[in-house]
Amino acid sequence: MVKEVKKPKSKLSRTTKQRNDSFSFGEFLFKVTATVAAAALLISYISIFINPERHWVPMFFGLYYIPIAFFNLLLLAIGIFRRRSSLLIPLIALIPSLFLADKYVKIGADERELSGESGKVVSYNLGRFSVGSRGITTAESLAGVKSFIKEQDADIVCLQEFQCPDPESLRQYFPEYQYSSQYLKEGPGYFGNVILSKYPVLNSEKVSFPETANLCLRSDIQIDGTILRIFNCHLESNAISFTTIVKRLSHKDEFKDEIVQVHGKLRSKAQKRAEQVETLCSMNAESPYPALICGDFNDVPSSYTYHRLSSGKKDSFCEGGRGFSATYSRLWPLLRIDYVLLPAEFEADSH
């Protein structure tokens, strides 16, 4: 007679079951997190097509595209390391970023031979010669700017937030440029946008935007047998003090209030910029000449502002740049808000 003997459950089998339960919960948590992060990234992609005047929420996702993309990249790395089956979620979400990458960073440079006439354009926001915390005087800042512009020896120089005692002093600042146009507002002193040129300026138009100090200067320049229209823009500023935010980090209540105020400002400023962008796009569409749009857009590449203004244009950084594209030194290498957008028939040799 044979008796059936049942084996007791071993510690090993119980431990394995516990691990399986733990793994299932971890997989679920990872999947939920990855799905939310992927959705945020998807909204940041489509935000460039949505006018913030009509729907403003997606604008914030575009503004935070870089940290959202990095978070998805982190989830992908965790998924690969932990062998999560849901690693496909961040992987698929990140694929469109491959097409945005060259707007932020370029590794190496395209080697190509360009034909035809060449020229050099400089776009420079002077910030009214503000010196911030660098410990130099306004006079020293001005001297540095003059030296830099002379060293660049550009054919066309577009300046934003230029400041001077009176409009007649422009020639004294940059005597090497025979031709110029300016749109300067009063108070205090005079400030605004300036275009310096080695070629004749045929005509200029001041483009005012309602209820703001920001502006655009449009000039037609005769370059040998070609007329080039220049839009030198300084679009609506965000008016955010990063210094104030940092100081309030130690005060929880104040910092929370500051964050709410900051995002309220970002919303209203983005809506104003959208209105300004539509004005510029209409003027660009009506231009009888090839048009170059440059200046301080005060917006990132993953924005409605950039998408609209760069439509049908070539971005000088994407075409001929190398390294990081950032133009705002306080948040380097992530924040790019200044651009040179070329007519479609032009080429960028370097940036």
Side-chain angles (χ1 to χ4, degrees), residues 159-162 181-184 191-195 215-217 232-234:
L159 305 176
Q160 304 93 41
E161 292 197 89
F162 173 83
S181 58
Q182 58 194 39
Y183 180 6
L184 302 176
F191 70 94
N193 291 7
V194 170
I195 296 177
L215 49 90
C216 175
L217 174 61
N232 179 14
C233 312
H234 181 212

Side-chain angles (χ1 to χ4, degrees), residues 227-243:
I227 297 177
L228 179 64
R229 178 160 289 185
I230 305 286
F231 289 95
N232 179 14
C233 312
H234 181 212
L235 302 186
E236 189 68 25
S237 304
N238 287 310
I240 296 173
S241 172
F242 290 102
T243 305

Side-chain angles (χ1 to χ4, degrees), residues 180-182 195 201-206 217-220:
S180 65
S181 58
Q182 58 194 39
I195 296 177
V201 177
L202 302 182
N203 57 71
S204 293
E205 179 183 0
K206 304 170 182 178
L217 174 61
R218 191 227 74 195
S219 295
D220 295 334

Side-chain angles (χ1 to χ4, degrees), residues 34 52 101 113 121 134-135 138 156 158 175 182 202 213 215 221 263 269 272 276 286 291 293 297 299 307 330:
E113 292 185 7
V121 176
R134 287 173 287 168
T138 301
I156 298 172
C158 297
Q182 58 194 39
L202 302 182
L215 49 90
I221 300 178
H263 285 80
K269 300 298 183 179
K272 274 192 175 183
Q276 296 165 5
E286 295 169 0
I293 303 176
F297 295 0
D299 227 332
H307 171 70
R330 291 186 184 181

Side-chain angles (χ1 to χ4, degrees), residues 27-267:
E27 178 70 20
F28 172 76
L29 184 61
F30 181 86
K31 187 178 290 186
V32 170
T33 306
T35 301
V36 172
L41 193 56
L42 176 63
I43 297 173
S44 74
Y45 294 145
I46 65 175
S47 67
I48 65 173
F49 304 103
I50 301 173
N51 189 330
E53 284 189 293
R54 300 191 185 111
H55 306 285
W56 56 270
V57 173
M59 176 269 299
F60 288 108
F61 289 85
L63 179 65
Y64 294 122
Y65 162 72
I66 290 290
I68 293 173
F70 269 113
F71 186 64
N72 275 270
L73 195 61
L74 175 64
L75 290 174
L76 177 61
I78 293 173
I80 294 172
F81 180 74
R82 301 298 297 271
R83 299 181 182 179
R84 301 291 191 193
S85 59
S86 358
L87 64 84
L88 283 176
I89 298 174
L91 178 62
I92 294 172
L94 284 165
I95 289 175
S97 289
L98 297 175
F99 301 98
L100 292 174
D102 69 342
K103 299 185 187 304
Y104 292 90
V105 62
K106 290 274 284 186
I107 300 173
D110 297 333
E111 295 201 4
R112 49 190 172 165
E113 292 185 7
L114 303 180
S115 60
E117 298 297 322
S118 64
K120 186 175 184 178
V121 176
V122 164
S123 177
Y124 194 175
N125 186 318
L126 304 176
R128 304 194 194 185
F129 301 107
S130 172
V131 295
S133 58
R134 287 173 287 168
I136 61 175
T137 65
T138 301
E140 289 172 326
S141 178
L142 172 59
V145 167
K146 290 166 66 175
S147 174
F148 173 79
I149 290 176
K150 188 173 182 179
E151 178 187 330
Q152 292 300 307
D153 191 29
D155 297 284
I156 298 172
V157 178
C158 297
L159 305 176
Q160 304 93 41
E161 292 197 89
F162 173 83
Q163 183 162 332
C164 59
D166 60 82
E168 302 303 320
S169 62
L170 182 62
R171 183 62 61 86
Q172 301 172 9
Y173 281 70
F174 308 104
E176 63 269 30
Y177 287 95
Q178 183 178 355
Y179 306 99
S180 65
S181 58
Q182 58 194 39
Y183 180 6
L184 302 176
K185 292 185 176 183
E186 190 173 2
Y190 290 83
F191 70 94
N193 291 7
V194 170
I195 296 177
L196 308 172
S197 174
K198 292 183 178 180
Y199 298 95
V201 177
L202 302 182
N203 57 71
S204 293
E205 179 183 0
K206 304 170 182 178
V207 184
S208 297
F209 302 126
E211 301 178 0
T212 182
N214 296 82
L215 49 90
C216 175
L217 174 61
R218 191 227 74 195
S219 295
D220 295 334
I221 300 178
Q222 176 84 51
I223 305 175
D224 298 328
T226 302
I227 297 177
L228 179 64
R229 178 160 289 185
I230 305 286
F231 289 95
N232 179 14
C233 312
H234 181 212
L235 302 186
E236 189 68 25
S237 304
N238 287 310
I240 296 173
S241 172
F242 290 102
T243 305
T244 302
I245 294 175
V246 171
K247 285 181 178 179
R248 294 186 179 184
L249 274 170
S250 57
H251 304 285
K252 186 177 179 181
D253 294 336
E254 290 185 12
F255 180 66
K256 183 179 178 181
D257 292 341
E258 183 72 17
I259 291 297
V260 172
Q261 291 173 18
V262 161
H263 285 80
K265 281 184 180 179
L266 287 172
R267 172 188 171 181

